[in-house]
Amino acid sequence: MKITKEQVEHVASLAKLSLSEEEIERLRTQMGGMIAFADEINTLNVASVRPTTHAIAQKNVFREDGCAPSYDRAVMLENAPMQDGECVVVPRVVE
Amino acid sequence: MEFETVIGLEVHAELSTQSKIYCTCSTAFGASENTHICPVCTGMPGVLPALNKSVVEYCVKAGLALNCKINQYSRQDRKHYFYPDLPKAFQTSQYDLPLCYDGYLDIDVPEGDPLDGKAQKSTYRKRFGITRIHIEEDAGKLLHGAGSTRIDYNRCGVPLIEIVTEPDFRTAGEVHAFLTMLRSILIYAGVSNCRMEEGSMRCDVNLSLRPGPDAPFGTRTETKNIASMSATVRAIEYERKRQKKVLEKGGVITQDTMRWDDERGLNYAMRSKEDAHDYFYFPEPDIMPIEVDDEWLGRIKASLPELPNARRERYMADYGLPAYDAGFLTGERALAEYFDDAVAAGAPPKSASNWLMSDFARLTNEHSLTWDALPLSPEDLAKCIALVESGKISRTSGSKILDAVFSGDTRTPDELVAALGLAQVSDEGAIRAMCEEVVANNPKPVADFKAGKEKALTSLVGQVMKASKGKANPALVNKLLRELLA
Ligand SMILES: [Zn+2]
């Protein structure tokens, strides 16, 4: 299946990415390759195989409810490109 | 043109767990910004989420309370969208295998406007379908400023259940009645505190219009940001009228997401539809499948308390209470339990109900108290009722005791009767003497009564009560006066 320029642009807009024409073309080719691989898998007959969502057959891996101290705020905020000591700051979001 | 309104709901309720859904950060409301966060709930690369077992149990509990079937094999999925309130860029939710599905609630819906403040209304019974209930994580909170947006991630990762209903609602009144009952059930079950003002219960409204009950559904809009029960009613009325106006002018409704502004009393379109629906769901590889076996399901079932509907029926059947009383008493679990305890302590059910609906409703309101924090024990309420009903004190004095206790007086009802001098005079000799005096000094009402004017007795009773400074037992006064005038 061929990936169109519009499909790349749509996915990019969902991911809030702005791409150059060059990048769009490069990604179009790369994504086309991935989809082609998926198409190849689609030719296999898997009617008798149960869908696999997890690589290991485990279930009910839980944690009991209970609190532990959170991280230091200053440490957490170090990861943000912009912050004011209390909050992460981003350009104004319009709803 | 007349249209039928079709409404479906998506209700989010934050679960009453101590910790978040995938990490040990606290879920407590009101902490200062970003003090309840860690690498897991802020989506740092390489972290491994660990599912909080109570989240599964609370969701199944809610499902059982809402007559749902339970998917005993269930799974979580990633729902992708890009927004600064969601640092992982996907919400861990559930897609095709929600924990609960196919439930319902039977509601007695009061007729008319739900916000007109009238207490007792006639009702009709209707069943509302619940499509599914699934678990997911809450997002952070955006604080919009002039040129920038600040983000508080404390709420990020707080566990939620999302309850999706069938499009079974036709009026704002039905939605109001449903949400009231839903809230009450979730609080009863201990699943959520459902404080809409703190955002721990939120309701999105899907609404469309159609020419009649047999016509296909019209295009619907989704209204978000509704923060109170009454705002739900206003938002529905506003959107219904807006769509009606568009359709009457021959226009078409676009499938928009609207944001409700309760202060201004209007809504406006938010994000466009195509952005909202490309979520690229896929199974969450970091969370193992959830299997609720029969044994676990049985334990969750056994942990459910008696729910408001069942309690309501019991109050009517066992205690002969009117539907209105039963509805009032079962509105909140703490109130119902208080009532049960008072009855267990010997209070006649109808009397306990009357006291709770009158004095208690007034006093909790005046002192801003909740039903789980009453200053008078149910045993002492039973005691007060007994004092009044045995004729030891008057009903008015009973209210005086409550006033004192709610104002912080810690003395027992018996001590207060003595301290405030509330004991009624039931000494027949003393009251007879007062009655004789009143009869001697009031020839006109006496003559009127003897001539057949029943009402004249009231003024004579009043005179005796006045002479006794309100302490005479009115029933006894009545009896003695009738004897004297016979
Ligand atoms: Zn955390």
Side-chain angles (χ1 to χ4, degrees):
Chain A
M1 200 180 102
K2 251 185 94 71
I3 296 291
T4 65
K5 180 171 182 267
E6 287 70 34
Q7 284 172 314
V8 176
E9 283 171 341
H10 175 60
V11 175
S13 88
L14 288 177
K16 312 272 195 290
L17 297 174
S18 53
L19 301 175
S20 69
E21 288 298 316
E22 248 172 287
E23 286 171 319
I24 290 174
E25 187 46 37
R26 194 172 79 233
L27 286 166
R28 198 181 65 78
T29 317
Q30 287 180 353
M31 286 163 76
M34 293 174 209
I35 296 296
F37 180 62
D39 284 344
E40 203 179 314
I41 293 174
N42 273 340
T43 63
L44 298 172
N45 183 358
V46 290
S48 62
V49 182
R50 279 187 58 181
T52 306
T53 56
H54 294 78
I56 40 171
Q58 265 193 308
K59 61 185 183 196
N60 290 357
V61 179
F62 298 127
R63 171 179 66 81
E64 293 297 325
D65 185 26
C67 293
S70 291
Y71 271 52
D72 186 62
R73 174 162 69 186
V75 173
M76 289 306 298
L77 289 177
E78 271 175 29
N79 295 287
M82 208 172 22
Q83 46 114 338
D84 62 7
E86 291 172 343
C87 286
V88 173
V89 180
V90 295
R92 189 175 152 79
V93 180
V94 198
E95 278 176 300
Chain B
M1 273 158 89
E2 280 312 308
F3 293 97
E4 184 182 62
T5 313
V6 177
I7 304 167
L9 304 175
E10 286 166 31
V11 180
H12 288 90
E14 284 184 358
L15 300 176
S16 302
T17 56
Q18 301 288 309
S19 62
K20 291 187 180 181
I21 183 166
Y22 303 118
C23 64
T24 51
C25 290
S26 165
T27 57
F29 179 81
S32 60
E33 295 96 334
N34 293 308
T35 52
H36 290 168
I37 62 171
C38 75
V40 174
C41 55
T42 54
M44 294 296 161
V47 295
L48 188 64
L51 178 56
N52 184 336
K53 191 178 179 186
S54 298
V55 171
V56 177
E57 292 185 333
Y58 282 145
C59 180
V60 172
K61 224 170 168 180
L64 293 172
L66 301 172
N67 308 298
C68 287
K69 301 187 175 104
I70 306 300
N71 263 323
Q72 291 187 261
Y73 181 87
S74 178
R75 190 177 61 213
Q76 292 217 260
D77 299 271
R78 293 184 176 184
K79 175 185 181 177
H80 299 82
Y81 69 92
F82 295 79
Y83 211 61
D85 62 2
L86 191 72
K88 284 197 293 188
F90 62 84
Q91 180 189 35
T92 308
S93 179
Q94 295 195 282
Y95 184 54
D96 54 345
L97 289 172
L99 271 168
C100 318
Y101 65 101
D102 203 7
Y104 64 87
L105 259 189
D106 290 326
I107 310 271
D108 291 320
V109 183
E111 306 268 5
D113 177 2
L115 300 184
D116 64 10
K118 290 192 193 119
Q120 306 207 29
K121 296 177 180 180
S122 59
T123 59
Y124 61 96
R125 181 158 288 199
K126 184 170 167 180
R127 174 164 293 190
F128 299 97
I130 290 164
T131 317
R132 56 182 282 158
I133 310 176
H134 66 252
I135 54 171
E136 61 185 28
E137 57 185 331
D138 210 343
K141 202 170 176 181
L142 300 179
L143 311 157
H144 300 291
S148 61
T149 296
R150 302 166 72 238
I151 314 162
D152 174 11
Y153 289 120
N154 282 348
R155 202 179 63 186
C156 206
V158 168
L160 294 176
I161 48 172
E162 177 175 335
I163 301 163
V164 182
T165 76
E166 293 294 301
D168 288 345
F169 303 87
R170 296 294 172 267
T171 63
E174 292 185 351
V175 171
H176 190 267
F178 176 87
L179 288 177
T180 305
M181 178 57 86
L182 177 66
R183 184 174 175 276
S184 164
I185 288 175
L186 294 179
I187 295 174
Y188 262 76
V191 163
S192 171
N193 64 23
C194 294
R195 295 198 183 116
M196 280 188 103
E197 69 286 359
E198 290 180 6
S200 74
M201 179 169 154
R202 308 192 286 273
C203 177
D204 300 339
V205 171
N206 292 307
L207 188 148
S208 64
L209 299 183
R210 59 176 170 180
D214 299 321
F217 289 145
T219 305
R220 63 164 202 244
T221 61
E222 182 179 7
T223 303
K224 290 179 174 286
N225 192 43
I226 304 174
S228 73
M229 221 62 110
S230 56
T232 313
V233 174
R234 289 189 288 273
I236 287 171
E237 276 310 298
Y238 182 87
E239 180 58 13
R240 182 184 68 77
K241 286 181 190 150
R242 189 190 69 85
Q243 289 192 18
K244 186 167 187 273
K245 225 181 258 176
V246 172
L247 293 172
E248 280 171 346
K249 278 194 209 144
V252 286
I253 304 296
T254 49
Q255 193 176 338
D256 286 321
T257 301
M258 318 293 292
R259 191 180 163 85
W260 175 247
D261 184 335
D262 200 44
E263 225 160 84
R264 288 152 71 202
L266 52 84
N267 66 19
Y268 53 91
M270 263 166 82
R271 303 171 216 162
S272 73
K273 177 217 156 199
E274 60 263 61
D275 277 8
H277 286 259
D278 268 342
Y279 289 134
F280 296 103
Y281 280 99
F282 69 73
E284 166 62 80
D286 286 347
I287 306 285
M288 295 300 129
I290 303 162
E291 194 180 293
V292 184
D293 61 19
D294 291 343
E295 196 267 330
W296 192 13
L297 189 59
R299 264 189 290 136
I300 299 172
K301 214 174 257 178
S303 73
L304 269 179
E306 186 186 24
L307 294 169
N309 263 339
R311 223 169 190 138
R312 196 166 163 271
E313 305 288 326
R314 177 165 67 85
Y315 287 175
M316 291 166 73
D318 293 2
Y319 299 149
L321 292 183
Y324 181 77
D325 292 44
F328 174 85
L329 294 170
T330 53
E332 278 191 44
R333 182 177 171 180
L335 169 57
E337 286 174 350
Y338 188 93
F339 169 77
D340 279 345
D341 290 347
V343 171
K350 180 58 185 155
S351 307
S353 171
N354 287 345
W355 283 59
L356 288 165
M357 289 197 300
S358 56
D359 291 274
F360 277 64
R362 171 177 62 81
L363 288 163
T364 48
N365 192 24
E366 276 174 24
H367 296 273
S368 305
L369 289 172
T370 50
W371 292 105
D372 55 2
L374 298 176
L376 188 79
S377 71
E379 294 72 26
D380 280 345
L381 170 61
K383 176 82 198 166
C384 288
I385 293 173
L387 284 169
V388 171
E389 297 192 353
S390 67
K392 260 199 135 176
I393 62 170
S394 69
R395 180 65 182 81
T396 320
S397 298
S399 295
K400 280 186 189 149
I401 293 179
L402 294 186
D403 284 340
V405 171
F406 274 78
S407 302
D409 201 318
T410 54
R411 285 175 287 189
T412 66
D414 279 329
E415 287 166 358
L416 284 164
V417 168
L420 304 176
L422 301 175
Q424 286 190 135
V425 179
S426 289
D427 170 356
E428 212 176 306
I431 296 178
R432 185 181 296 275
M434 284 187 249
C435 288
E436 280 166 352
E437 201 183 326
V438 167
V439 168
N441 294 338
N442 293 277
K444 170 104 174 60
V446 168
D448 286 349
F449 180 76
K450 285 188 169 162
K453 277 195 188 163
E454 235 343 86
K455 266 188 147 180
L457 190 69
T458 318
S459 95
L460 294 171
V461 173
Q463 294 287 331
V464 180
M465 292 307 291
K466 203 174 156 192
S468 75
K469 301 198 174 66
K471 287 182 185 173
N473 179 342
L476 187 58
V477 172
N478 235 292
K479 175 179 155 260
L480 292 174
L481 279 173
R482 281 183 189 280
E483 281 175 19
L484 287 170
L485 299 173

